[in-house]
Amino acid sequence: MDKTRETTIDINPIPYLTWTWLKINKDSVSYDFNLSENQGIDVQLPEGIKVSSGKSIETQLSEPKFSIGDQAAKLISDAASKGKIYKIEKSADQPLIIRIKLDSNSATHQIIHAKAGTSANIIIVYDGWLSSPEGVSKPQVLSGVITKVYAEDDAKLHISKVQLCGKTVNQIDDTAVVCGERAKVSLTQIELGGSHLDAGFHATLEGYQSSFYSDTAYICQENQYLDMNQVVVHKGKKTVCDMKTHGTAKDAATKTYRGTIDMIKGCAGSVGNEIETTLLLSPQAVVKAAPIILCGEEDISAEHGSTIGKLSNEMLFYMNSRGIDQKTAEELLTRAKITAAAVSIEDEGIQEEINSFLSE
């Protein structure tokens, strides 16, 4: 990328600032945001889902917010001039599969609009720049992706995002969700490749008894930088969220996790849970985490936790007693975190792609 055209911005801001010296309030990036639109390819488009161009829809739901911050969202949105809308008009029997090939600087603006009472499974796969001829170096590539999700009353969505990029890909990826009454949205995220990654979601549980579930799995290795910002805001009464993030940090990688559950006044009877665990396999790896619960309502239940640890002596002894050395044990546990999340992706071919990527 041309450094003379780079713009420096703050990204993935934590909703409420903590101590500056912790260096966890935000990420800061410098990129050339002169991006071309990349709408991706609809590999499988089930009956009942209509596709059109555009970046806005008509709905009674409020506008979803972005975890990456307004400035980054605007830069990506402006670069994706047309945008793409997936309108789910009736429940789909097969998953909608979208592939986004990342072989040049690009911006993607997607809207998923589930009409009341519908259900659908959406799988988005990112790949590209996995290999090059010997002796040929590839330039850094920037991908910016915004996915806005509107789930009307009683809608049910399962969204999977699978990132299988090469080492020269930098990515900004945001999933912005808003739920109506009794709507349920589940999000599975697999982060495996890339160089500098800013990934996250912001879910607003607006309607009565709406719910949001997330399962994020990652491997952060070599010199990768993974920065995650996950926010769920409870507005409606008796809303539920459950956020799970599990992964491995090794080599000289850096991983930052921010997870916020915000219980707004008026969300009586709501329940929120978040758990984040990191298997730390190198003294050179840097791991930071900030699990946060904000309570503006008394009648709620919320729990959070974050753990960072090595392979325990008990687990290592158990593995050794069965002929498994430490390196193999670490590889097995690292892989298990990914496959446990990937099992919910309803396409065997994509599950096999994940396994192949892990094997490479």
Side-chain angles (χ1 to χ4, degrees):
M1 289 185 285
D2 186 356
K3 292 185 179 296
T4 62
R5 304 170 66 180
E6 287 184 352
T7 300
T8 300
I9 62 170
D10 292 334
I11 196 167
N12 276 358
I14 202 166
Y16 292 88
L17 298 179
T18 185
W19 298 106
T20 304
W21 60 269
L22 293 173
K23 297 182 179 180
I24 202 170
N25 286 328
K26 62 186 179 182
D27 187 18
S28 182
V29 297
S30 296
Y31 293 133
D32 177 2
F33 284 92
N34 183 27
L35 310 174
S36 300
E37 182 164 23
N38 183 351
Q39 293 191 341
I41 300 172
D42 303 329
V43 176
Q44 182 169 282
L45 183 63
E47 184 181 353
I49 301 178
K50 291 189 176 181
V51 184
S52 61
S53 297
K55 293 196 288 186
S56 63
I57 64 168
E58 292 184 6
T59 177
Q60 297 298 314
L61 295 173
S62 63
E63 190 68 10
K65 295 184 178 181
F66 299 103
S67 67
I68 57 175
D70 292 338
Q71 185 180 10
K74 186 178 188 306
L75 287 167
I76 296 170
S77 180
D78 289 347
S81 57
K82 293 182 180 179
K84 204 168 185 180
I85 300 172
Y86 296 90
K87 187 176 181 180
I88 302 166
E89 297 186 330
K90 67 177 184 179
S91 297
D93 294 331
Q94 293 180 309
L96 165 63
I97 301 177
I98 306 165
R99 298 195 77 97
I100 301 179
K101 195 78 171 178
L102 305 179
D103 52 12
S104 62
N105 294 352
S106 64
T108 302
H109 189 294
Q110 304 167 318
I111 291 178
I112 299 169
H113 182 200
K115 300 293 288 183
T118 61
S119 62
N121 192 328
I122 298 96
I123 304 172
I124 303 170
V125 181
Y126 309 113
D127 62 25
W129 295 82
L130 285 173
S131 60
S132 60
E134 186 175 352
V136 177
S137 62
K138 289 187 174 182
Q140 291 286 309
V141 171
L142 172 63
S143 164
V145 181
I146 289 175
T147 306
K148 297 168 74 174
V149 180
Y150 299 84
E152 305 279 3
D153 295 355
D154 298 297
K156 291 180 175 58
L157 291 175
H158 181 201
I159 300 168
S160 300
K161 287 191 168 185
V162 181
Q163 189 266 105
L164 305 173
C165 298
K167 297 177 183 178
T168 59
V169 174
N170 302 314
Q171 187 175 47
I172 302 170
D173 180 71
D174 197 352
T175 307
V177 179
V178 60
C179 293
E181 292 189 358
R182 296 172 301 279
K184 175 184 176 182
V185 175
S186 300
L187 174 65
T188 300
Q189 287 184 303
I190 308 292
E191 297 285 349
L192 295 182
S195 177
H196 190 119
L197 307 165
D198 289 279
F201 56 77
H202 189 294
T204 303
L205 300 179
E206 190 170 86
Y208 173 73
Q209 287 187 339
S210 57
S211 57
F212 177 82
Y213 302 87
S214 70
D215 194 355
T216 302
Y218 66 87
I219 299 175
C220 196
Q221 59 189 328
E222 298 182 358
N223 292 308
Q224 282 181 307
Y225 191 106
L226 173 60
D227 192 283
M228 294 177 283
N229 193 27
Q230 304 177 353
V231 183
V232 179
V233 179
H234 292 254
K235 288 188 174 181
K237 293 182 178 180
K238 294 186 178 181
T239 52
V240 176
C241 84
D242 190 6
M243 305 155 62
K244 295 184 293 185
T245 302
H246 303 296
T248 301
K250 57 194 297 189
D251 305 323
T254 300
K255 183 231 71 176
T256 300
Y257 168 83
R258 303 175 197 84
T260 304
I261 297 175
D262 193 355
M263 297 287 191
I264 301 294
K265 186 174 178 59
C267 70
S270 294
V271 178
N273 293 285
E274 66 169 314
I275 182 68
E276 189 263 350
T277 64
T278 302
L279 178 62
L280 184 62
L281 297 182
S282 168
Q284 284 76 44
V286 178
V287 176
K288 294 181 283 187
I292 297 171
I293 293 177
L294 305 170
C295 295
E297 173 64 51
E298 294 183 0
D299 181 20
I300 58 97
S301 174
E303 296 181 359
H304 67 171
S306 179
T307 61
I308 301 169
K310 302 177 182 179
L311 185 64
S312 69
N313 291 331
E314 292 79 7
M315 178 62 74
L316 184 57
F317 176 80
Y318 176 83
M319 294 287 193
N320 289 161
S321 68
R322 281 151 180 78
I324 301 172
D325 60 32
Q326 181 170 345
K327 182 179 179 181
T328 303
E330 290 174 350
E331 291 175 352
L332 287 172
L333 291 177
T334 296
R335 194 180 188 110
K337 291 176 180 289
I338 305 300
T339 55
V343 72
S344 66
I345 300 174
E346 295 184 11
D347 185 273
E348 292 183 359
I350 293 172
Q351 289 185 14
E352 185 54 39
E353 284 186 61
I354 294 171
N355 286 328
S356 297
F357 193 98
L358 291 172
S359 298
E360 292 176 0

